[in-house]
Coordinates of all heavy atoms in Angstrom, one line a residue:
M1 N 0.9 -1.3 0.0 CA 0.0 -0.1 0.0 C 0.9 1.3 0.0 O 0.6 2.1 -0.8 CB -0.9 -0.1 1.3 CG -1.9 1.1 1.3 SD -3.0 1.1 0.0 CE -4.0 2.4 0.4
S2 N 1.9 1.3 0.9 CA 2.7 2.5 1.0 C 3.6 2.6 -0.3 O 3.9 3.8 -0.6 CB 3.6 2.5 2.2 OG 4.5 1.3 2.2
K3 N 4.0 1.4 -0.9 CA 4.7 1.6 -2.1 C 3.9 2.2 -3.2 O 4.4 3.1 -4.0 CB 5.2 0.3 -2.6 CG 6.2 -0.3 -1.7 CD 6.7 -1.7 -2.1 CE 7.7 -2.3 -1.4 NZ 8.2 -3.6 -1.8
K4 N 2.6 1.9 -3.2 CA 1.7 2.5 -4.3 C 1.6 4.1 -4.1 O 1.6 4.8 -5.0 CB 0.4 1.9 -4.3 CG 0.4 0.4 -4.7 CD -1.1 -0.1 -4.6 CE -1.1 -1.5 -5.1 NZ -2.5 -2.0 -5.0
I5 N 1.5 4.6 -2.8 CA 1.4 5.9 -2.5 C 2.7 6.6 -2.8 O 2.6 7.7 -3.5 CB 1.1 6.1 -0.9 CG1 -0.3 5.5 -0.6 CG2 1.1 7.6 -0.6 CD1 -0.7 5.6 0.8
I6 N 3.7 6.0 -2.5 CA 5.1 6.6 -2.8 C 5.3 6.7 -4.4 O 5.7 7.8 -5.0 CB 6.2 5.8 -2.3 CG1 6.2 6.0 -0.7 CG2 7.6 6.3 -2.9 CD1 7.2 5.1 0.0
L7 N 5.0 5.7 -5.1 CA 4.9 5.6 -6.6 C 4.2 6.8 -7.1 O 4.4 7.5 -8.2 CB 4.7 4.3 -7.2 CG 5.7 3.3 -6.9 CD1 5.1 1.9 -7.5 CD2 7.0 3.7 -7.6
L8 N 2.9 6.9 -6.6 CA 1.9 7.9 -7.0 C 2.5 9.3 -6.7 O 2.4 10.2 -7.7 CB 0.6 7.9 -6.3 CG -0.5 8.9 -6.5 CD1 -0.9 8.8 -8.1 CD2 -1.6 8.8 -5.7
I9 N 3.0 9.6 -5.6 CA 3.7 10.8 -5.3 C 4.9 11.1 -6.3 O 4.9 12.3 -6.8 CB 4.1 10.9 -3.8 CG1 3.0 10.8 -3.0 CG2 5.1 12.1 -3.6 CD1 3.4 10.8 -1.4
L10 N 5.7 10.2 -6.5 CA 6.9 10.3 -7.4 C 6.3 10.6 -8.9 O 6.9 11.5 -9.5 CB 7.8 9.1 -7.5 CG 8.5 8.9 -6.2 CD1 9.4 7.6 -6.3 CD2 9.5 10.0 -5.9
F11 N 5.3 10.0 -9.3 CA 4.8 10.2 -10.6 C 4.3 11.6 -10.7 O 4.4 12.3 -11.7 CB 3.6 9.2 -10.8 CG 3.0 9.5 -12.1 CD1 3.5 9.2 -13.5 CD2 1.6 10.1 -12.1 CE1 2.8 9.4 -14.6 CE2 1.0 10.3 -13.3 CZ 1.6 10.0 -14.5
L12 N 3.4 12.2 -9.7 CA 2.9 13.5 -9.7 C 4.1 14.5 -9.7 O 3.9 15.5 -10.2 CB 1.9 13.7 -8.5 CG 0.7 12.8 -8.6 CD1 -0.2 12.9 -7.3 CD2 -0.1 13.3 -9.8
L13 N 5.1 14.2 -8.9 CA 6.2 15.1 -8.7 C 6.9 15.2 -10.1 O 7.5 16.3 -10.4 CB 7.1 14.8 -7.6 CG 6.6 15.0 -6.3 CD1 7.6 14.6 -5.2 CD2 6.2 16.5 -5.9
S14 N 7.0 14.0 -10.9 CA 7.7 14.2 -12.1 C 7.0 14.9 -13.2 O 7.5 15.4 -14.2 CB 7.9 12.7 -12.6 OG 6.7 12.1 -13.1
K15 N 5.7 15.0 -13.0 CA 4.8 15.8 -13.9 C 4.8 17.3 -13.4 O 3.9 18.1 -14.0 CB 3.4 15.2 -13.8 CG 3.4 13.9 -14.4 CD 3.8 13.8 -15.8 CE 3.6 12.3 -16.5 NZ 3.9 12.4 -17.8
S16 N 5.6 17.7 -12.5 CA 5.6 19.1 -12.0 C 5.8 20.2 -13.1 O 5.4 21.2 -13.0 CB 6.4 19.3 -10.8 OG 7.8 19.2 -11.1
S17 N 6.4 19.8 -14.0 CA 6.8 20.7 -15.1 C 5.6 21.1 -16.1 O 5.5 22.0 -16.7 CB 7.8 20.3 -16.1 OG 7.5 18.9 -16.7
Q18 N 4.5 20.2 -15.9 CA 3.3 20.4 -16.7 C 2.2 21.1 -15.7 O 1.0 21.0 -16.1 CB 2.8 19.1 -17.2 CG 3.8 18.3 -18.0 CD 3.2 17.1 -18.5 OE1 2.2 16.6 -18.0 NE2 3.9 16.4 -19.3
I19 N 2.6 22.0 -14.7 CA 1.6 22.6 -14.0 C 0.8 23.6 -14.8 O 1.5 24.7 -15.2 CB 2.2 23.1 -12.8 CG1 2.8 22.1 -11.9 CG2 1.2 23.9 -11.9 CD1 3.4 22.6 -10.6
V20 N -0.3 23.5 -15.1 CA -1.1 24.3 -15.9 C -2.1 25.0 -15.1 O -2.4 26.3 -15.4 CB -1.8 23.5 -17.1 CG1 -2.6 24.4 -18.0 CG2 -0.7 22.8 -18.0
F21 N -2.8 24.4 -14.3 CA -3.8 24.9 -13.5 C -3.5 24.9 -11.9 O -4.3 24.7 -11.0 CB -5.1 24.0 -13.6 CG -5.6 23.8 -15.0 CD1 -5.3 22.7 -15.8 CD2 -6.2 25.0 -15.5 CE1 -5.7 22.5 -17.0 CE2 -6.6 24.7 -16.9 CZ -6.4 23.7 -17.6
A22 N -2.3 25.5 -11.7 CA -1.8 25.6 -10.3 C -2.6 26.5 -9.5 O -2.8 26.3 -8.3 CB -0.4 25.9 -10.3
S23 N -3.1 27.6 -10.0 CA -3.8 28.5 -9.2 C -5.3 28.1 -9.1 O -6.1 28.7 -8.2 CB -3.7 29.9 -9.9 OG -4.3 29.9 -11.1
V24 N -5.7 27.2 -9.8 CA -7.1 26.7 -9.7 C -7.3 25.7 -8.4 O -6.7 24.8 -8.3 CB -7.5 26.0 -11.0 CG1 -9.0 25.4 -10.8 CG2 -7.5 26.8 -12.2
S25 N -8.2 26.1 -7.5 CA -8.3 25.3 -6.3 C -9.8 24.6 -6.4 O -10.0 23.8 -5.6 CB -8.3 26.3 -5.1 OG -9.3 27.2 -5.2
D26 N -10.6 25.0 -7.4 CA -11.9 24.3 -7.6 C -12.0 23.9 -9.0 O -11.9 24.6 -9.9 CB -13.1 25.4 -7.3 CG -14.3 24.7 -7.4 OD1 -14.5 23.5 -7.2 OD2 -15.4 25.5 -7.7
C27 N -12.0 22.4 -9.1 CA -11.9 21.7 -10.3 C -13.5 21.7 -11.0 O -13.6 21.1 -12.1 CB -11.4 20.4 -10.2 SG -9.7 20.4 -9.6
S28 N -14.4 22.1 -10.3 CA -15.8 21.9 -10.9 C -16.1 22.9 -12.0 O -17.0 22.6 -12.7 CB -16.7 22.3 -9.6 OG -16.6 23.7 -9.3
E29 N -15.2 23.8 -12.4 CA -15.4 24.5 -13.6 C -15.2 23.8 -14.8 O -15.4 24.3 -15.9 CB -14.5 25.8 -13.4 CG -13.1 25.6 -13.4 CD -12.4 26.9 -13.2 OE1 -12.6 27.6 -12.2 OE2 -11.6 27.3 -14.0
F30 N -14.5 22.7 -14.7 CA -14.2 21.8 -15.9 C -15.2 20.8 -16.1 O -15.7 20.2 -15.0 CB -12.7 21.3 -15.8 CG -11.6 22.3 -15.6 CD1 -11.0 22.4 -14.3 CD2 -11.4 23.1 -16.6 CE1 -10.0 23.3 -14.2 CE2 -10.4 24.0 -16.4 CZ -9.7 24.2 -15.2
K31 N -15.2 20.2 -17.2 CA -16.1 19.1 -17.4 C -15.4 17.9 -16.8 O -14.2 17.7 -16.7 CB -16.2 18.7 -19.0 CG -17.1 19.9 -19.8 CD -17.3 19.5 -21.2 CE -18.0 20.5 -21.9 NZ -18.1 20.2 -23.3
K32 N -16.4 17.0 -16.3 CA -15.9 15.9 -15.4 C -14.8 15.0 -16.0 O -13.8 14.5 -15.4 CB -17.1 15.1 -14.9 CG -16.6 14.2 -13.7 CD -17.7 14.3 -12.7 CE -17.3 13.7 -11.4 NZ -18.1 13.9 -10.3
F33 N -14.9 14.6 -17.2 CA -13.9 13.8 -17.9 C -13.0 14.3 -18.9 O -12.5 13.7 -19.6 CB -14.7 12.5 -18.5 CG -15.4 11.8 -17.6 CD1 -16.9 11.9 -17.5 CD2 -14.9 10.8 -16.7 CE1 -17.6 11.0 -16.6 CE2 -15.6 10.1 -15.9 CZ -16.9 10.2 -15.7
S34 N -12.8 15.7 -18.7 CA -11.9 16.4 -19.6 C -10.5 16.2 -18.9 O -10.2 16.0 -17.8 CB -12.3 17.8 -19.7 OG -12.1 18.6 -18.5
S35 N -9.5 16.5 -19.9 CA -8.1 16.3 -19.5 C -7.8 17.5 -18.4 O -7.1 17.3 -17.6 CB -7.2 16.4 -20.7 OG -7.3 17.6 -21.4
E36 N -8.2 18.7 -18.6 CA -8.2 19.7 -17.6 C -8.7 19.4 -16.3 O -8.0 19.8 -15.4 CB -8.9 21.0 -18.3 CG -8.2 21.5 -19.5 CD -8.9 21.0 -20.7 OE1 -9.9 20.3 -20.7 OE2 -8.4 21.3 -21.7
Y37 N -9.8 18.7 -16.2 CA -10.3 18.2 -14.9 C -9.4 17.3 -14.2 O -9.1 17.6 -13.1 CB -11.7 17.5 -15.2 CG -12.3 17.1 -13.9 CD1 -12.9 18.0 -13.0 CD2 -12.1 15.8 -13.5 CE1 -13.5 17.5 -11.8 CE2 -12.8 15.3 -12.3 CZ -13.4 16.1 -11.5 OH -14.0 15.6 -10.3
F38 N -8.8 16.3 -15.0 CA -8.0 15.5 -14.5 C -6.6 16.1 -14.0 O -6.0 15.7 -12.9 CB -7.6 14.2 -15.3 CG -8.8 13.3 -15.4 CD1 -9.4 13.1 -16.7 CD2 -9.2 12.6 -14.5 CE1 -10.6 12.3 -16.9 CE2 -10.4 11.7 -14.5 CZ -10.9 11.6 -15.7
K39 N -6.1 17.0 -14.9 CA -4.8 17.7 -14.5 C -5.0 18.5 -13.1 O -4.3 18.6 -12.3 CB -4.4 18.7 -15.6 CG -3.9 17.9 -16.7 CD -3.6 19.0 -17.9 CE -3.1 18.2 -19.1 NZ -2.8 19.2 -20.2
C40 N -6.3 19.1 -13.1 CA -6.6 19.9 -11.9 C -6.6 19.0 -10.6 O -6.0 19.4 -9.7 CB -7.9 20.7 -12.2 SG -8.5 21.6 -10.7
K41 N -7.3 18.0 -10.8 CA -7.4 17.0 -9.6 C -6.0 16.4 -9.4 O -5.6 16.3 -8.1 CB -8.3 15.8 -10.0 CG -9.7 16.2 -9.9 CD -10.2 16.6 -8.5 CE -11.5 16.6 -8.3 NZ -12.0 16.9 -7.0
A42 N -5.2 16.1 -10.3 CA -3.8 15.6 -10.1 C -3.0 16.7 -9.3 O -2.2 16.4 -8.3 CB -3.1 15.2 -11.3
N43 N -3.1 18.0 -9.6 CA -2.4 19.0 -9.0 C -2.9 19.2 -7.6 O -2.1 19.4 -6.7 CB -2.5 20.3 -9.7 CG -1.7 20.3 -11.0 OD1 -0.6 19.8 -11.0 ND2 -2.2 21.2 -11.9
L44 N -4.2 19.1 -7.3 CA -4.7 19.1 -5.9 C -4.0 18.1 -5.1 O -3.7 18.2 -3.9 CB -6.3 19.2 -5.9 CG -6.9 20.3 -6.4 CD1 -8.4 20.1 -6.5 CD2 -6.6 21.6 -5.7
I45 N -4.1 16.9 -5.6 CA -3.6 15.7 -4.8 C -2.1 15.8 -4.6 O -1.5 15.6 -3.6 CB -3.8 14.4 -5.6 CG1 -5.2 14.0 -5.7 CG2 -3.0 13.3 -5.1 CD1 -5.7 13.0 -6.7
K46 N -1.3 16.3 -5.6 CA 0.1 16.6 -5.4 C 0.5 17.7 -4.5 O 1.2 17.4 -3.5 CB 0.7 17.0 -6.9 CG 2.1 17.2 -6.8 CD 2.7 17.8 -8.1 CE 2.8 19.4 -8.0 NZ 3.4 19.9 -9.0
E47 N -0.4 18.7 -4.3 CA -0.2 19.7 -3.3 C -0.5 19.2 -2.0 O 0.3 19.5 -1.1 CB -1.0 21.0 -3.7 CG -0.7 21.8 -4.9 CD -1.6 22.8 -5.3 OE1 -2.6 23.0 -4.6 OE2 -1.5 23.4 -6.5
K48 N -1.5 18.4 -2.0 CA -1.8 17.9 -0.6 C -0.8 16.8 -0.1 O -0.3 17.0 1.1 CB -3.1 17.1 -0.7 CG -3.7 16.5 0.6 CD -4.0 17.5 1.6 CE -4.7 16.8 2.8 NZ -4.8 17.8 3.9
A49 N -0.2 16.0 -1.1 CA 0.8 15.1 -0.8 C 2.0 15.8 -0.3 O 2.8 15.4 0.7 CB 1.2 14.2 -1.9
I50 N 2.4 16.9 -1.0 CA 3.6 17.6 -0.5 C 3.4 18.3 0.7 O 4.4 18.2 1.6 CB 3.9 18.7 -1.6 CG1 4.4 17.9 -3.0 CG2 5.0 19.7 -1.2 CD1 4.6 18.9 -4.1
S51 N 2.2 18.9 1.0 CA 2.2 19.6 2.3 C 2.1 18.5 3.4 O 2.7 18.7 4.5 CB 0.9 20.4 2.3 OG -0.3 19.6 2.3
T52 N 1.5 17.3 3.1 CA 1.4 16.3 4.1 C 2.9 15.8 4.5 O 3.3 15.6 5.6 CB 0.6 15.2 3.7 OG1 -0.8 15.7 3.6 CG2 0.4 14.1 4.7
S53 N 3.5 15.5 3.4 CA 4.9 15.1 3.6 C 5.9 16.0 4.4 O 6.8 15.8 5.1 CB 5.6 14.6 2.2 OG 5.8 15.9 1.5
K54 N 5.7 17.4 4.2 CA 6.3 18.4 4.8 C 6.0 18.4 6.3 O 6.8 18.5 7.2 CB 6.2 19.8 4.2 CG 6.9 20.0 2.9 CD 6.6 21.4 2.3 CE 7.2 21.7 1.1 NZ 7.0 23.0 0.5
D55 N 4.8 18.2 6.6 CA 4.3 18.1 8.0 C 4.9 17.0 8.7 O 5.3 17.0 9.8 CB 2.9 18.0 8.0 CG 2.1 19.4 7.6 OD1 2.9 20.4 7.7 OD2 1.0 19.3 7.4
I56 N 4.9 15.8 8.0 CA 5.5 14.5 8.5 C 7.0 14.7 8.9 O 7.5 14.4 9.8 CB 5.2 13.5 7.7 CG1 3.8 13.0 7.7 CG2 6.0 12.1 8.1 CD1 3.3 12.0 6.6
I57 N 7.7 15.3 7.9 CA 9.0 15.5 8.0 C 9.3 16.4 9.3 O 10.3 16.2 10.1 CB 9.7 16.1 6.8 CG1 9.7 14.9 5.7 CG2 11.2 16.7 6.9 CD1 10.1 15.4 4.3
K58 N 8.6 17.5 9.3 CA 8.8 18.5 10.5 C 8.4 17.9 11.8 O 9.3 18.0 12.8 CB 7.9 19.8 10.2 CG 8.0 20.7 11.3 CD 7.0 21.9 11.1 CE 7.0 22.9 12.2 NZ 6.7 22.4 13.5
D59 N 7.4 17.1 11.8 CA 7.1 16.5 13.1 C 8.2 15.4 13.4 O 8.5 15.3 14.6 CB 5.7 15.6 12.9 CG 4.5 16.7 12.9 OD1 4.7 17.7 13.2 OD2 3.4 16.1 12.5
T60 N 8.7 14.7 12.5 CA 9.8 13.7 12.8 C 11.0 14.4 13.3 O 11.7 13.9 14.3 CB 10.1 12.9 11.4 OG1 8.9 12.3 11.0 CG2 11.1 11.8 11.7
K61 N 11.4 15.5 12.7 CA 12.7 16.2 13.1 C 12.4 16.6 14.4 O 13.2 16.6 15.4 CB 12.9 17.4 12.2 CG 13.4 16.9 10.8 CD 14.0 18.1 10.0 CE 14.5 17.8 8.7 NZ 14.9 19.0 8.0
D62 N 11.3 17.3 14.8 CA 10.9 17.8 16.2 C 10.9 16.6 17.1 O 11.6 16.8 18.2 CB 9.6 18.4 16.2 CG 9.5 19.8 15.4 OD1 10.6 20.3 15.0 OD2 8.4 20.2 15.1
Y63 N 10.4 15.5 16.9 CA 10.4 14.4 17.8 C 11.8 13.9 18.1 O 12.2 13.7 19.2 CB 9.5 13.3 17.2 CG 9.7 12.0 18.0 CD1 9.0 11.9 19.3 CD2 10.4 11.0 17.7 CE1 9.0 10.8 20.1 CE2 10.5 9.9 18.5 CZ 9.9 9.7 19.6 OH 9.8 8.7 20.4
Q64 N 12.7 13.8 16.9 CA 14.1 13.3 17.1 C 14.8 14.4 17.9 O 15.6 13.9 18.8 CB 14.7 13.1 15.8 CG 14.1 11.9 15.0 CD 14.6 11.8 13.6 OE1 15.3 12.7 13.2 NE2 14.5 10.6 13.0
N65 N 14.7 15.6 17.6 CA 15.5 16.6 18.5 C 15.0 16.5 19.9 O 15.8 16.5 20.7 CB 15.2 18.1 17.8 CG 15.9 18.2 16.6 OD1 16.9 17.7 16.3 ND2 15.4 19.1 15.7
Q66 N 13.8 16.3 20.2 CA 13.4 16.3 21.5 C 13.9 15.1 22.2 O 14.4 15.2 23.4 CB 11.8 16.2 21.6 CG 11.3 16.1 23.1 CD 9.8 16.0 23.0 OE1 9.1 15.8 22.0 NE2 9.2 16.2 24.2
E67 N 13.8 13.9 21.7 CA 14.3 12.6 22.2 C 15.8 12.6 22.3 O 16.4 12.1 23.3 CB 13.8 11.4 21.3 CG 12.3 11.2 21.5 CD 11.9 11.0 23.0 OE1 12.5 10.1 23.5 OE2 10.8 11.5 23.4
W68 N 16.5 13.1 21.3 CA 18.0 13.1 21.2 C 18.5 14.0 22.2 O 19.6 13.7 22.8 CB 18.5 13.3 19.9 CG 18.3 12.2 19.0 CD1 18.0 10.9 19.2 CD2 18.5 12.2 17.6 NE1 17.7 10.3 18.1 CE2 18.1 11.0 17.0 CE3 18.9 13.1 16.6 CZ2 18.1 10.6 15.7 CZ3 18.9 12.8 15.2 CH2 18.5 11.6 14.8
S69 N 17.8 15.1 22.6 CA 18.4 16.0 23.5 C 18.3 15.5 24.9 O 19.1 15.7 25.7 CB 17.5 17.4 23.5 OG 16.2 17.2 23.9
K70 N 17.3 14.6 25.2 CA 17.2 14.0 26.5 C 18.4 13.0 26.6 O 19.1 13.0 27.7 CB 15.9 13.2 26.6 CG 14.7 14.0 26.8 CD 13.5 13.1 26.8 CE 12.2 14.0 26.9 NZ 10.9 13.1 26.8
E71 N 18.7 12.2 25.7 CA 19.9 11.3 25.7 C 21.1 12.1 25.7 O 22.1 11.6 26.5 CB 19.8 10.4 24.4 CG 18.5 9.4 24.4 CD 18.4 8.5 25.5 OE1 19.4 8.0 25.9 OE2 17.3 8.3 26.1
K72 N 21.2 13.2 25.1 CA 22.5 13.9 25.2 C 22.7 14.4 26.6 O 23.9 14.5 27.1 CB 22.5 15.1 24.1 CG 22.7 14.7 22.6 CD 22.5 16.0 21.8 CE 22.6 15.6 20.4 NZ 22.6 16.8 19.4
E73 N 21.7 14.9 27.2 CA 21.8 15.3 28.6 C 22.3 14.0 29.5 O 23.1 14.4 30.4 CB 20.5 15.8 29.1 CG 20.0 17.1 28.4 CD 18.7 17.6 29.0 OE1 18.2 17.0 30.0 OE2 18.2 18.4 28.3
K74 N 21.8 13.0 29.3 CA 22.1 11.7 30.0 C 23.6 11.5 29.8 O 24.4 11.2 30.8 CB 21.3 10.5 29.6 CG 19.8 10.6 30.1 CD 19.2 9.4 29.6 CE 17.6 9.4 30.0 NZ 17.0 8.2 29.5
I75 N 24.0 11.5 28.5 CA 25.5 11.3 28.2 C 26.5 12.3 28.9 O 27.4 12.1 29.5 CB 25.7 11.3 26.8 CG1 25.0 10.2 26.1 CG2 27.2 11.4 26.4 CD1 25.1 10.0 24.7
L76 N 26.0 13.6 28.9 CA 26.7 14.6 29.6 C 26.8 14.4 31.1 O 28.0 14.7 31.7 CB 26.3 16.0 29.2 CG 26.3 16.5 27.7 CD1 25.6 17.8 27.5 CD2 27.9 16.6 27.3
K77 N 25.7 14.1 31.6 CA 25.7 14.0 33.2 C 26.7 12.7 33.5 O 27.4 12.8 34.5 CB 24.3 13.7 33.6 CG 23.6 14.8 33.6 CD 22.0 14.5 34.1 CE 21.2 15.8 34.1 NZ 19.7 15.5 34.6
T78 N 26.6 11.6 32.7 CA 27.5 10.5 32.9 C 28.9 10.9 32.7 O 29.8 10.5 33.5 CB 27.2 9.4 32.0 OG1 25.8 9.0 32.0 CG2 28.0 8.1 32.1
K79 N 29.3 11.6 31.8 CA 30.6 12.1 31.5 C 31.1 13.0 32.7 O 32.3 12.8 33.2 CB 30.8 13.0 30.3 CG 30.8 12.2 28.9 CD 31.0 13.1 27.8 CE 31.0 12.4 26.4 NZ 31.1 13.4 25.4
E80 N 30.3 13.8 33.2 CA 30.6 14.7 34.4 C 30.9 13.8 35.6 O 31.8 14.0 36.3 CB 29.5 15.6 34.7 CG 29.4 16.8 33.8 CD 28.2 17.7 34.0 OE1 27.6 17.5 34.9 OE2 28.0 18.6 33.1
K81 N 30.1 12.8 35.8 CA 30.2 11.9 36.9 C 31.7 11.2 36.8 O 32.3 10.9 37.8 CB 29.1 10.9 37.1 CG 27.9 11.4 37.5 CD 26.7 10.3 37.6 CE 25.4 10.9 38.1 NZ 24.3 9.9 38.0
I82 N 31.8 10.7 35.6 CA 33.3 10.1 35.4 C 34.4 11.0 35.7 O 35.4 10.6 36.4 CB 33.3 9.4 33.9 CG1 32.2 8.3 34.0 CG2 34.6 8.9 33.6 CD1 32.0 7.7 32.5
L83 N 34.2 12.1 35.2 CA 35.4 13.1 35.4 C 35.5 13.5 36.8 O 36.6 13.8 37.3 CB 35.2 14.3 34.5 CG 35.3 14.1 33.0 CD1 35.0 15.5 32.2 CD2 36.7 13.7 32.7
D84 N 34.5 13.5 37.6 CA 34.5 13.8 39.0 C 35.1 12.8 39.9 O 35.7 13.1 40.9 CB 33.0 14.3 39.4 CG 32.6 15.5 39.0 OD1 33.4 16.4 38.4 OD2 31.4 15.8 39.1
Q85 N 35.1 11.7 39.4 CA 35.7 10.5 40.3 C 37.2 10.5 40.2 O 38.0 11.0 39.7 CB 35.1 9.1 39.8 CG 33.7 9.0 40.1 CD 33.2 7.8 39.7 OE1 33.8 7.0 38.9 NE2 31.8 7.5 40.0

């Protein structure tokens, strides 16, 4: 499942040079089965995927920084104890 999502994201990102309707946020102005409608929907999906992946990356970095800072403190305290002895 996740491989399919990754492949879809990569496919959409590879088509980024063909952004035609980037400013259109409502695809209802196009006929339902026209190529413009599908391009519009693909761009909306791509934008959502990019924003979601940015949020996931940011959350991951924040979590890692928080957890690693705790471990760094433990290491520093241990070093201080060793040097004091």
